[in-house]
Amino acid sequence: MGDYRKLWSDLGMDLEKHDKLCAVLPELYSSVYLTQENRPEGMNYFNFVVAEVHGLRIQELDEHKKDGGKVVGTFCVFVPDEVILAAKAISVGLCAGSQFWVEDGEKVLPRNLCPLIKAFMGAKVGGTCPYFNSCDMVIGETTCDGKKKAWEILEEYVPVHVMDLPQMKKSKDYKMWEDEIKIVIEKIEELTGNKVTVESLKEGIRIANAKRRALKRLYNFRKLKPSPISGLDALLISQIAFYDNPLRFTEMLKALCDELDERAKNLVPDNSKRLMITGTPMAVPNWKLHSIIEGLDAQIVVEETCTGTRYFENEVSEEGDTIEDLIKNLADRYLKINCACFTPNHGRIEDIIKYAKEYSVDGVIDANLSFCHTYAIEHRDVETGLKEKNIPVLQIETDYSSEDSGQIKTRVEALLEMI
Ligand code: SF4
Ligand code: SF4
């Protein structure tokens, strides 16, 4: 990575603390990613993006801002990127996946809270995330209680707009979500000074759909036996999708998929077990579970998570002649996401069973971040649904620390022996 200290300093970051983060990340990445054998050549682009995660992309955001553009941070796959793109702003996913940020988060939040919330808050409070410090506004949502209340504190550090997400899927909830999308359009227009038009919104929809399509194509390769790409690499690609330039990301992912097309012609069957991960999102650089599992005789072939299928399934229709038509299309697509914050949430169990079949999985790991009550409570339904189909399931509740890694490994080994 080049020298970006002036850029970081101009962003108001704590350089000394940030140096500590920069010192651990490359080592972690090398040990988890670069030790994998026979990776596709196309992964070199994604290696490069990680190597430059706090460098080149931040410089791009800076240039965009110097040209009068705005940067908008998001935390949830319900926030419609299409609208941000339509107003010529850049959207960055801010969920944080490292234990490094948790300590600073705990200075303003209770300790017994989901690590994802503590980490993103710590990244801002401690001044160690250049993405956060590049944001002109962040868009939160009323999903879980932890996030909902965290916005009130975050607002002291950065302008926050909160979208009021319905928690049921009745017809009145669709109407409510359409209204919320209308409000966020006004907010973003105000921030950027750019009007969201039918044409610009259609363009935003096209860009987001193309990204979804490329991710779906990647996932389709994982249905092959064996998958020509590791679960670790697929997870990394999904994580990068949240902050890379969407046009470049889509092109690079398509090129990787072309390479996988070739690889798929020469697959050598193996006996490794095929697993699905379902549960809470795995924000970058949370590679903990994937690295433990793929260090054993197993391959993760699908993630029913927000850093997996929930991010890219279902496209937004481009049909319609008015902004209202397109807003309705957005609401229809987004309310197909099955998050445990909704009640009831039978659609998620149906998705898990459908994916288990499509990806020929031998077992499922229901992985939840500690203190995430909605997903923890929903485990019972996940287990019941899978047991009815004779699919073994293991529940793992964990955080970002490595303290329980040995215990998780033992439990996964026991699952693999059983299947
Ligand atoms: S798990 Fe739910 S709240 Fe979290 S990012 Fe996904 S949709 Fe949003
Ligand atoms: S993992 Fe659960 S508790 Fe954490 S932010 Fe997502 S929904 Fe909230």
Side-chain angles (χ1 to χ4, degrees):
M1 191 160 63
D3 186 1
Y4 297 100
R5 294 183 78 78
K6 163 122 184 30
L7 177 60
W8 295 331
S9 166
D10 291 348
L11 286 171
M13 292 173 61
D14 180 336
L15 295 190
E16 216 174 295
K17 204 181 269 183
H18 184 244
D19 282 347
K20 291 186 188 142
L21 177 63
C22 291
V24 291
L25 259 185
E27 205 178 303
L28 174 68
Y29 189 73
S30 294
S31 66
V32 172
Y33 274 92
L34 304 182
T35 49
Q36 293 183 92
E37 284 170 14
N38 195 25
R39 290 174 86 204
E41 286 280 314
M43 284 311 297
N44 286 339
Y45 169 72
F46 300 96
N47 286 339
F48 172 73
V49 174
V50 174
E52 285 288 336
V53 65
H54 282 190
L56 218 50
R57 183 65 179 143
I58 300 303
Q59 196 169 296
E60 287 178 351
L61 299 184
D62 185 55
E63 282 158 13
H64 170 76
K65 282 162 73 89
K66 282 184 177 141
D67 287 342
K70 300 291 177 191
V71 176
V72 177
T74 64
F75 299 88
C76 175
V77 297
F78 272 99
V79 174
D81 270 348
E82 293 83 347
V83 169
I84 301 172
L85 288 164
K88 310 216 175 326
I90 294 180
S91 154
V92 286
L94 290 173
C95 280
S98 167
Q99 183 67 15
F100 179 85
W101 289 299
V102 169
E103 194 185 319
D104 278 333
E106 286 178 351
K107 289 181 184 159
V108 293
L109 291 167
R111 295 191 68 190
N112 56 348
L113 190 68
C114 157
L116 191 148
I117 303 173
K118 289 191 289 192
F120 77 61
M121 189 66 87
K124 182 64 193 168
V125 169
T128 48
C129 174
Y131 288 93
F132 229 135
N133 280 27
S134 301
C135 284
D136 298 288
M137 177 172 88
V138 303
I139 303 179
E141 16 50 53
T142 53
T143 43
C144 62
D145 287 351
K147 282 208 272 182
K148 199 156 56 191
K149 297 305 286 179
W151 310 136
E152 295 168 16
I153 298 173
L154 189 63
E155 209 154 27
E156 292 169 21
Y157 298 85
V158 58
V160 180
H161 170 75
V162 181
M163 294 186 79
D164 190 3
L165 184 75
Q167 315 261 287
M168 299 182 88
K169 292 179 182 175
K170 298 178 182 172
S171 54
K172 72 171 177 52
D173 298 310
Y174 280 78
K175 176 77 190 65
M176 172 180 161
W177 192 232
E178 283 176 37
D179 288 344
E180 282 299 313
I181 296 174
K182 269 182 216 152
I183 295 168
V184 85
I185 288 177
E186 285 165 17
K187 280 276 160 197
I188 294 173
E189 284 180 337
E190 208 177 288
L191 176 80
T192 59
N194 296 327
K195 187 98 191 116
V196 173
T197 63
V198 171
E199 257 330 295
S200 70
L201 192 48
K202 281 197 178 182
E203 182 57 14
I205 291 172
R206 275 193 285 275
I207 294 170
N209 278 346
K211 180 155 83 167
R212 291 185 184 113
R213 222 168 291 142
L215 283 162
K216 176 115 181 152
R217 185 176 166 208
L218 173 74
Y219 268 58
N220 279 339
F221 283 109
R222 304 174 75 192
K223 293 176 183 168
L224 302 174
K225 289 187 179 176
S227 162
I229 185 151
S230 68
L232 266 167
D233 280 338
L235 173 66
L236 181 72
I237 292 166
S238 294
Q239 291 170 335
I240 288 174
F242 284 82
Y243 64 89
D244 197 9
N245 173 313
L247 295 173
R248 179 177 58 209
F249 171 88
T250 302
E251 283 317 303
M252 298 314 287
L253 181 51
K254 278 187 190 165
L256 171 72
C257 288
D258 290 344
E259 185 187 344
L260 295 182
D261 254 333
E262 288 306 309
R263 284 194 166 217
K265 292 175 189 158
N266 301 303
L267 293 177
V268 182
D270 67 14
N271 293 322
S272 65
K273 302 286 190 301
R274 299 170 63 84
L275 297 181
M276 178 199 307
I277 299 269
T278 177
T280 50
M282 293 177 177
V284 75
N286 179 8
W287 306 308
K288 177 175 166 180
L289 218 50
H290 280 59
S291 92
I292 295 172
I293 295 168
E294 295 202 329
L296 301 168
D297 190 15
Q299 195 175 31
I300 296 168
V301 291
V302 57
E303 296 84 8
E304 189 281 318
T305 66
C306 290
T307 39
T309 54
R310 277 181 236 139
Y311 183 56
F312 65 77
E313 284 290 11
N314 303 305
E315 294 188 11
V316 177
S317 166
E318 277 178 54
E319 296 295 309
D321 304 314
T322 64
I323 286 282
E324 285 69 30
D325 292 338
L326 299 178
I327 289 173
K328 185 178 177 310
N329 297 349
L330 285 167
D332 286 348
R333 185 268 160 190
Y334 278 88
L335 284 179
K336 287 195 182 107
I337 299 170
N338 294 312
C339 170
C341 296
F342 282 79
T343 184
N345 191 33
H346 304 307
R348 176 168 168 238
I349 317 301
E350 286 158 19
D351 285 347
I352 293 170
I353 290 167
K354 182 177 78 152
Y355 296 139
K357 196 163 171 230
E358 284 177 10
Y359 291 80
S360 321
V361 309
D362 300 305
V364 175
I365 296 187
D366 189 6
N368 298 320
L369 288 168
S370 325
F371 305 111
C372 176
H373 301 312
T374 50
Y375 278 88
I377 294 169
E378 206 161 274
H379 172 71
R380 193 168 166 275
D381 283 357
V382 171
E383 189 176 43
T384 307
L386 287 167
K387 276 194 172 155
E388 277 168 14
K389 300 286 173 195
N390 292 319
I391 302 167
V393 55
L394 171 68
Q395 184 186 24
I396 291 178
E397 191 172 302
T398 187
D399 58 17
Y400 295 158
S401 72
S402 52
E403 279 163 25
D404 58 354
S405 297
Q407 192 198 41
I408 292 174
K409 183 168 172 259
T410 309
R411 294 184 65 209
V412 176
E413 278 170 339
L415 173 78
L416 296 177
E417 265 169 39
M418 192 180 89
I419 54 185

